[in-house]
Amino acid sequence: MSRARRLISLPSLALAAVATLAAGGASAQTTGSDGLSEMEKARAALPPDAAKVLFGEKAAPAPLEARSIGSYARGCLAGATALPVDGSAWQVMRLSRNRNWGHPALIAFLEHFAARGRAIGWPGLLVGDMSQPRGGPMLTGHASHQIGLDADIWFSPMPDRTLSADERETISAVSMVDMGRRELDRTKWTETRAKLVREAARDPAVARIFVNPPIKKALCDWAGSDRAWLAKVRPWYGHNYHFHVRIACPAGDASCADQDPPPSGDGCGADLAWWLGPEPWKPSEPEKPRPPMMLADLPEACRQVLLAK
Ligand SMILES: [Zn+2]
């Protein structure tokens, strides 16, 4: 993507959503002084037939053959599977959000990746948002995560005990970046974290990984001569408390639209320099609020996903 195009396409919402995205999402239980939760407020501001409202209401998956339908930021998910909240080497966080759903290919990737992580010295994954039971747009956070192929993994290691449901709501993730200086926090970052991101990037199922720009810089400086995997690791807003792993469309899933592959090369040059400079962080002109995505804006098959009983 050219810099000009990227600037134009920067969603103004992305900046507003950074705080929410940062910790893999704030708790659904967060209530303001008016007693309404973050999600209730978001819902109240939308027409009842907005896609976020319709998909946000679904508590269970569509009992259909598993399919990722559409693209990462405009689509839905049929036949989703839940990642078990406790695994051999992972625990799911923020259970009240009910966003631990994915295409079976994502579940398989996470199970494998958690085990690989342990083999390189990472005690286990804390898994943040994946997708809603039927995918689709969400009331809070994320523009993507719509087709069951995205997962947020905390940079905090899993503790050696099972967290209570309450702890999973309230424990804060730890930022790897001094966001004021836009520099890596070297008191928090470790080589094992670098190895963990590399391990994910080397998995052939993975299409992209998003991290905050100083984290990409740290990986560029650390990588040595084997640099092919760095192409998949993309600098982006947020992603200082967690990294976001996006797997490619499962083989043979004709309804799933892959993204263009990331640019070739390690991405450690001019592109990263731009991200580390002031330009991406300048306050942008307030845009006119865009009308919310409606069911008709999603692929036609998402209507059946919504209605399936
Ligand atoms: Zn994410």
Side-chain angles (χ1 to χ4, degrees):
M1 199 192 296
S2 75
R3 280 181 217 179
R5 192 174 140 213
R6 181 170 51 209
L7 274 174
I8 292 161
S9 67
L10 279 182
S12 58
L13 281 175
L15 287 167
V18 161
T20 321
L21 288 167
S27 165
Q29 308 292 331
T30 309
T31 47
S33 52
D34 50 10
L36 291 176
S37 76
E38 189 192 345
M39 287 207 204
E40 285 165 339
K41 272 186 250 180
R43 192 181 297 119
L46 287 163
D49 52 348
K52 307 179 164 194
V53 175
L54 298 172
F55 279 91
E57 279 167 355
K58 293 294 180 185
L64 302 167
E65 189 194 348
R67 283 204 297 157
S68 293
I69 299 163
S71 54
Y72 298 96
R74 187 181 291 267
C76 61
L77 173 63
T81 304
L83 181 69
V85 300
D86 294 305
S88 51
W90 73 83
Q91 294 183 39
V92 174
M93 302 299 284
R94 308 296 192 246
L95 301 178
S96 69
R97 298 162 68 89
N98 195 26
R99 290 179 179 174
N100 57 317
W101 297 86
H103 188 285
L106 180 65
I107 308 301
F109 162 76
L110 288 168
E111 290 173 350
H112 175 72
F113 176 51
R116 291 293 309 142
R118 195 165 269 182
I120 56 162
W122 189 251
L125 309 177
L126 294 182
V127 180
D129 280 0
M130 295 163 55
S131 288
Q132 302 179 125
R134 300 189 189 200
M138 299 181 184
L139 280 167
T140 54
H142 321 289
S144 65
H145 289 251
Q146 295 196 21
I147 56 175
L149 302 178
D150 294 285
D152 290 338
I153 316 261
W154 288 27
F155 280 120
S156 309
M158 187 181 93
D160 60 359
R161 64 190 176 85
T162 305
L163 295 170
S164 70
D166 190 50
E167 285 173 311
R168 295 180 202 222
E169 292 299 324
T170 53
I171 287 177
S172 298
V174 176
S175 177
M176 297 294 118
V177 176
D178 177 334
M179 295 298 270
R181 302 162 71 104
R182 296 199 296 272
E183 283 173 10
L184 190 74
D185 184 342
R186 294 183 186 280
T187 68
K188 305 286 181 340
W189 185 253
T190 54
E191 187 174 31
T192 309
R193 289 175 167 86
K195 287 181 181 170
L196 186 68
V197 175
R198 180 176 67 182
E199 193 64 28
R202 281 177 170 167
D203 191 306
V206 170
R208 272 178 168 73
I209 295 171
F210 299 101
V211 297
N212 198 261
I215 297 174
K216 168 82 187 198
K217 169 86 165 58
L219 295 169
C220 288
D221 294 346
W222 171 79
S225 57
D226 170 16
R227 306 183 72 79
W229 60 276
L230 281 166
K232 292 184 190 173
V233 183
R234 310 295 299 160
W236 197 251
Y237 300 99
H239 302 97
N240 50 318
Y241 294 87
H242 72 265
F243 59 107
H244 173 149
V245 180
R246 168 170 297 169
I247 67 168
C249 286
D253 196 337
S255 54
C256 180
D258 265 316
Q259 218 173 341
D260 290 340
S264 59
D266 59 16
C268 296
D271 181 64
L272 179 58
W274 180 84
W275 275 104
L276 292 169
E279 207 174 333
W281 313 97
K282 283 183 189 155
S284 51
E285 292 282 310
E287 278 178 37
K288 264 198 288 176
R290 274 183 255 175
M293 206 180 273
M294 307 301 282
L295 184 56
D297 297 322
L298 298 177
E300 176 62 30
C302 290
R303 186 175 297 276
Q304 284 94 63
V305 169
L306 198 63
L307 295 176
K309 290 210 170 78

